[in-house]
Amino acid sequence: MMKQVAPLVNLAISTGEPAGIGPEVSLAAAVEFLREQNGVAITLLGDDQLLTLPKNIDPALASRLQVESIKLKTPVVSGVLNPQNAQYVIALLDQAINGCQQGRFDAMVTAPLQKSIINDAGTPFTGHTEHLAQRCNISHVVMMLCAPLPTGFLGLESPRDLRVALVTTHVPLKDVPQALSYDLILETIQIVNRDLQRKFGIANPVIRMAGLNPHAGESGYLGREEIEIITPAIEAAKAMGIQVSGPYPGDTMFDPESVATVDAFIAMYHDQGLAPFKFVTFGNGVNVTLGLQIIRTSVDHGTALDIAGKGIADFGSMLEALRLAYQLAVNQRKQP
């Protein structure tokens, strides 16, 4: 009796800002991932002039890699932003979203874009996360960064994934306290817990949550958000059976013991969570959007205009984004 072969996992890569390193790291990481994983097919979304396949590529590998060409509005100069190509970048992103919603793709991976040039072109744009929420008609999504930590790091006895989620994302620091609410915090905890179960395959996630203020408010002397909204939201989540604790001071939340046992940390604002994350992950982080019906991962770096087109960009983060997108898609297929 012949063994049934599982269908390929189809991943799409939105190759991002054409003047940045997105196209080159997308192509390089795609080729590398196809070498290490036989059960995947990859579609690169972008202008085919930016995505020329290597001449010596293995034909069997090439059969699982295709370019779905979307034409640039105007020719690109590496490292030089052009607002005329802003809509091209949005078109790549929308093509990936449409493909996931239609079932053509099992997951989408996004290369970096330049928010400023999209806004300069007259299109209001806050970021990938917010655009995905709008396109998928979801009122609340959560940004979470993930990265593998090796054995021995901070005394880890075995490899461990570091995951850091955010309650607020691209919000000016002065506006964060007003943006926080009991409902927002509770919903964030619920989304993180649910997606860790459904997409990451963690049956009983352990979650740690930061406070907002120094020393987590120090009993109200340094701020009352912990008392009035953060702790009540944590207690409500606990009553639902979620294993969440806190609020912890932001400067002590990531201690070595917790890194070894916690499945996800939740920070109140962008730099509170991502500064320590990026310090220890050295460019190998992956951005995951939680709360969507579709799977989306991304690199954790920017467009790197200063090195674009020079052939020296590190594709490690894009490779990790592909690996995680693949694993999440496999996990989702196992769901009843």
Side-chain angles (χ1 to χ4, degrees):
M1 185 176 180
M2 293 185 64
K3 183 179 179 181
Q4 187 173 4
V5 178
L8 295 175
V9 172
N10 292 298
L11 305 180
I13 304 179
S14 169
T15 56
E17 168 54 52
I21 63 171
E24 58 190 282
V25 298
S26 297
L27 179 57
V31 171
E32 181 62 26
F33 188 57
L34 289 168
R35 288 195 183 110
E36 70 178 51
Q37 178 53 253
N38 293 325
V40 68
I42 297 176
T43 300
L44 294 163
L45 304 176
D47 194 301
D48 53 9
Q49 294 187 15
L50 300 176
L51 301 166
T52 304
L53 302 187
K55 293 181 179 179
N56 61 346
I57 191 170
D58 183 335
L61 186 151
S63 68
R64 294 184 286 121
L65 178 62
Q66 65 173 325
V67 175
E68 197 166 293
S69 186
I70 298 172
K71 292 300 180 183
L72 288 158
K73 182 71 174 178
T74 190
V76 167
V77 176
S78 294
V80 180
L81 296 170
N82 190 329
Q84 292 185 55
N85 284 323
Q87 284 305 311
Y88 162 85
V89 177
I90 298 297
L92 301 183
L93 185 54
D94 287 340
Q95 187 88 332
I97 295 169
N98 292 341
C100 288
Q101 291 176 329
Q102 295 160 2
R104 286 203 301 130
F105 306 131
D106 295 297
M108 59 180 286
V109 181
T110 56
L113 50 72
Q114 194 85 10
K115 293 187 284 288
S116 60
I117 202 69
I118 296 173
N119 283 284
D120 289 346
T123 301
F125 188 85
T126 308
H128 274 118
T129 303
E130 294 81 3
H131 186 77
L132 281 154
Q134 182 182 23
R135 278 295 320 278
C136 294
N137 197 29
I138 300 293
S139 60
H140 184 186
V141 297
V142 175
M143 177 190 292
M144 185 169 77
L145 275 287
C146 312
L149 300 179
T151 300
F153 183 83
L154 292 178
L156 289 174
E157 296 182 358
S158 59
R160 181 78 179 171
D161 288 335
L162 175 64
R163 305 181 186 92
V164 180
L166 305 176
V167 178
T168 63
T169 53
H170 300 113
V171 177
L173 189 57
K174 66 181 178 61
D175 297 333
V176 169
Q178 291 74 33
L180 294 174
S181 68
Y182 168 89
D183 288 339
L184 180 68
I185 296 166
L186 178 57
E187 287 173 7
T188 300
I189 297 170
Q190 291 174 298
I191 290 169
V192 171
N193 184 72
R194 183 173 63 245
D195 274 14
L196 287 176
Q197 291 175 327
R198 294 180 182 178
K199 294 180 178 177
F200 287 79
I202 302 171
N204 297 296
V206 176
I207 300 170
R208 241 187 187 213
M209 172 159 272
L212 172 66
N213 299 294
H215 302 178
E218 200 161 307
S219 301
Y221 287 101
L222 297 176
R224 295 193 56 81
E225 286 85 358
E226 287 77 9
I227 294 171
E228 295 174 358
I229 58 173
I230 300 174
T231 298
I234 291 172
E235 293 303 314
K238 286 181 180 178
M240 298 173 182
I242 298 174
Q243 294 189 73
V244 58
S245 59
Y248 296 93
D251 61 346
T252 59
M253 183 168 72
F254 298 94
D255 65 85
E257 182 178 346
S258 68
V259 170
T261 58
V262 173
D263 295 303
F265 298 85
I266 301 179
M268 288 295 142
Y269 57 92
H270 190 279
D271 287 11
Q272 182 189 52
L274 300 194
F277 175 89
K278 292 190 177 185
F279 176 72
V280 301
T281 57
F282 305 109
N284 288 320
V286 179
N287 185 348
V288 185
T289 305
L290 306 182
L292 299 172
Q293 312 96 323
I294 64 176
I295 295 168
R296 177 260 176 165
T297 67
S298 181
V299 298
D300 74 340
H301 58 73
T303 52
L305 297 170
D306 57 325
I307 62 170
K310 297 180 180 179
I312 60 174
D314 185 346
F315 61 83
S317 182
M318 177 58 77
L319 181 58
E320 291 294 341
L322 286 166
R323 288 169 175 161
L324 183 57
Y326 172 80
Q327 190 56 58
L328 296 182
V330 170
N331 291 346
Q332 187 144 294
R333 283 185 178 182
K334 296 176 182 177
Q335 293 294 319

